[in-house]
Structures are given as C-alpha cells and as structure tokens.
C-alpha cells in the first residue's frame, strides 16, 4: 500500500486515541464536581452563617445603651473569665472567619468553573473528533477502492 495511506491510518488511530482521552477527562471532571459539591455547599452554608452572626453583632450596636449595660453585667456575673476573653476576641475571630470562608468559597467556585470549562472543551473536542474520524474513514474507503482499481487494471 501507499505510504500516505499508512500515514493516514496512523493519524486516524491517533485521533481516535485523543477522542477517547478527551471523553475520559470529561467524565473524570464530572465525577470530581459530583464528589466535591457537598464541600462547596458546606463552605457556602458556613459563610452565610458567619454573615448572619456578623450582621447580628453589628446590629447590637444600635440598641439603647441601657440594654448593653444589662447584657454585659449579666455576662460578667455568670462567667467573668469567659466574658473577658470572648468580648476581646469574638468580633475579630468572626471577621477573620468571614474572610477565610469567603476566600475558600471563591477558590472552590473558580475550581468548579475551570473544571466545567475543561469538560465543555473536552466534549467539543470529542464531537469534533467524531466528525473528523467519519470524514477520514470515508476518504480512506474511497482511497482503498481507487487503489484496488489501480491494481486490477495493472
């Protein structure tokens, strides 16, 4: 057979292999998204809970001063050590938690977006590979017929 024909067969095998690799990568990406979705949901819930708590902390400032005095006095009497430690670090800890959850959520969403784009690219490559394989196979069949006809007439 002709060298070009053999080269075309090798290219066809290579395209089929690439097509299969793209499909495998896309399925792995789908499984990764399915596996890590609960973690993203958990981070989102924690972020929303922290937002709610921070909103409550900042809304307390707008209450009358005498409510603050009563609340702080009750807390001081019930557990003075915990009161002194919590008052000092509670707001700072909540704000740090808020920014940490926000950063983690952003990273997860970026990973999910990147993975979804890669899955779309792989599926598009797979479908384009299917079209190319069909075209090459039809051309190779015509080529085989012409080669057989040439051999027949020689």
């Amino acid at each position: 057979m002709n060298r070009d024909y053999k080269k075309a067969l090798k290219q066809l095998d290579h395209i089929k292999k690439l097509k299969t690799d793209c499909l495998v990568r896309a399925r792995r990406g789908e499984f990764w998204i399915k596996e890590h979705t609960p973690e993203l949901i958990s981070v989102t819930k924690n972020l929303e809970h922290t937002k709610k708590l921070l909103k409550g902390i900042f809304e307390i400032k707008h209450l009358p001063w005498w409510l603050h005095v009563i609340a702080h006095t009750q807390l001081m009497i019930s557990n003075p050590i915990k009161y002194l430690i919590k008052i000092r670090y509670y707001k700072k800890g909540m704000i740090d938690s808020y920014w940490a959850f926000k950063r983690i959520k952003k990273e997860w969403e970026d990973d999910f977006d990147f993975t979804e784009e890669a899955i779309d690219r792989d599926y598009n490559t797979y479908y384009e590979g299917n079209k190319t394989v069909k075209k090459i196979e039809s051309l190779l069949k015509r080529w085989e017929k012409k080669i057989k006809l040439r051999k027949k007439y020689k």
Side-chain angles (χ1 to χ4, degrees), residues 25-152:
R25 264 196 322 262
R27 290 299 294 159
R28 281 185 184 159
E30 288 173 353
F31 288 135
W32 184 86
I33 287 176
K34 191 175 184 179
E35 180 182 334
H36 291 90
T37 299
E39 293 175 22
L40 176 64
I41 292 170
S42 172
V43 168
T44 305
K45 284 181 182 178
N46 287 336
L47 178 66
E48 293 303 319
H49 179 67
T50 307
K51 268 188 200 177
K52 189 175 112 181
L53 289 175
L54 280 174
K55 188 176 178 182
I57 289 172
F58 292 125
E59 285 178 355
I60 288 174
K61 288 183 178 181
H62 301 294
L63 294 175
W65 66 272
W66 54 272
L67 282 175
H68 287 275
V69 172
I70 294 170
H72 285 278
T73 307
Q74 285 179 343
L75 288 172
M76 184 69 160
I77 292 170
S78 66
N79 196 346
I81 296 174
K82 187 175 179 182
Y83 170 77
L84 292 173
I85 293 172
K86 259 207 166 175
I87 290 298
R88 187 176 299 167
Y89 300 111
Y90 187 69
K91 288 181 188 176
K92 185 178 185 281
M94 289 302 292
I95 291 171
D96 291 343
S97 296
Y98 170 77
W99 286 111
F101 284 132
K102 190 165 185 149
R103 180 183 48 80
I104 291 169
K105 182 182 177 200
K106 175 82 170 106
E107 289 173 1
W108 275 102
E109 287 176 344
D110 290 345
D111 289 345
F112 273 72
D113 292 342
F114 178 75
T115 304
E116 287 171 354
E117 289 172 6
I119 289 170
D120 291 341
R121 263 195 326 267
D122 286 337
Y123 275 129
N124 287 338
T125 304
Y126 175 76
Y127 293 128
E128 291 299 318
N130 269 345
K131 292 177 187 177
T132 306
V133 165
K134 288 178 183 177
K135 285 181 184 178
I136 291 175
E137 285 176 344
S138 67
L139 289 173
L140 287 175
K141 284 181 184 177
R142 278 195 253 152
W143 205 348
E144 284 176 12
K145 288 179 185 177
K146 287 182 181 179
I147 290 173
K148 287 179 183 177
L149 285 174
R150 282 186 195 161
K151 285 184 179 179
K152 194 178 202 182

